[in-house]
Amino acid sequence: MDQTTPIVLVPGLASSARIYAPVIPALWRFGPVTVANHIRDDSMAAIAGRILAEAPPRFALAGHSMGGYIAFEIMRQASQRVTKLALINTQARPDTPEATGRRLGQMERARRGELRALREESFPELVHPSRRVDAEILKLVHAQDEDVGVEGYLRQQTAIIARVDSRPTLATITCPTLVLTGDADNTIPNAFSKEMAEGIAGARLVILDRCGHLPQAEQPQATVQALTEWLAS
């Protein structure tokens, strides 16, 4: 009898399938792996609905950063289809007015053709301090920017700004859940990961050492270990 479970991975803002490349080979033995396309719509409801329309009937779901926001919306729309949930460097909270203001400024710069420059400027805060001069990870960031494109980036930011507060629905999540974060995530502090883990019954919290907001690239082996233990549980 086939015991494999399809796995759907959702990237973050200005991110593509490339971010999951270091971990997909290890996940494949648990079941077929799909990386969702999340750049075609400008609301969380529409993004989640399209992913669900294209996903297998039942699947394990992992979302990174913005992908976590999408994962919460998928759970609201069709929790019965999700067998396991992994929330990677994300949060359940909605945007703050300050965050929205920053996003609007970033969107305006992207419209002016400054997406690459914007991402390069933010790179030091995106990763662990030891990775701030890591040319390979910066190259990955720029490649993903090109994958997503300006219009995709604008749609993503629009969806992020309007996302709802997922904290009230944390207690409704009953599938095996992993909450994964880095000890030096300056983009989404791991205090928000602790909040999610405390709000989801039985959730397992893993905080990776010497890791910022991009664990798949910064700490691939530790990320693989956490994800394979989640899938095997």
Side-chain angles (χ1 to χ4, degrees), residues 5-37:
T5 300
I7 303 159
V8 176
L9 308 175
V10 189
L13 172 66
S15 186
S16 69
R18 296 177 195 266
I19 192 64
Y20 285 109
V23 304
I24 286 176
L27 305 187
W28 195 264
R29 66 186 175 91
F30 293 95
V33 181
T34 302
V35 181
N37 182 337

Side-chain angles (χ1 to χ4, degrees), residues 34-53:
T34 302
V35 181
N37 182 337
H38 64 330
I39 68 173
R40 298 167 289 179
D41 301 285
D42 64 0
S43 75
M44 290 296 166
I47 295 169
R50 198 191 291 253
I51 291 172
L52 283 164

Side-chain angles (χ1 to χ4, degrees), residues 112-129:
R112 296 199 302 262
E114 299 177 25
L115 179 58
R116 183 182 178 90
L118 171 67
R119 297 281 285 163
E120 189 150 342
E121 290 167 17
S122 65
F123 181 73
E125 294 303 308
L126 197 63
V127 295
H128 186 271

Side-chain angles (χ1 to χ4, degrees), residues 149-192:
V150 172
E151 292 305 316
Y153 176 80
L154 295 175
R155 285 191 289 269
Q156 288 182 330
Q157 288 281 39
T158 299
I160 290 172
I161 288 171
R163 76 185 188 275
V164 303
D165 189 343
S166 293
R167 288 174 293 178
T169 56
L170 291 176
T172 68
I173 298 173
T174 58
C175 63
T177 300
L178 167 68
V179 179
L180 180 67
T181 186
D183 63 346
D185 188 344
N186 291 317
T187 303
I188 302 179
N190 59 46
F192 297 155

Side-chain angles (χ1 to χ4, degrees), residues 64-140:
H64 175 224
S65 193
M66 177 192 180
Y69 312 154
I70 297 166
F72 282 127
E73 181 59 31
I74 289 173
M75 295 299 292
R76 280 189 286 272
Q77 291 188 21
S79 62
Q80 74 281 2
R81 292 178 57 186
V82 179
T83 60
K84 297 175 186 287
L85 176 66
L87 301 166
I88 305 170
N89 293 74
T90 190
Q91 62 179 321
R93 298 185 174 212
D95 234 27
T96 63
E98 295 77 15
T100 294
R102 287 194 299 272
R103 293 188 196 284
L104 293 173
Q106 292 165 348
M107 291 168 73
E108 183 55 35
R109 289 190 63 186
R111 291 188 186 98
R112 296 199 302 262
E114 299 177 25
L115 179 58
R116 183 182 178 90
L118 171 67
R119 297 281 285 163
E120 189 150 342
E121 290 167 17
S122 65
F123 181 73
E125 294 303 308
L126 197 63
V127 295
H128 186 271
S130 66
R131 299 283 191 173
R132 288 175 179 170
V133 294
D134 191 316
E136 286 304 308
I137 298 181
L138 180 58
K139 182 179 177 182
L140 168 66

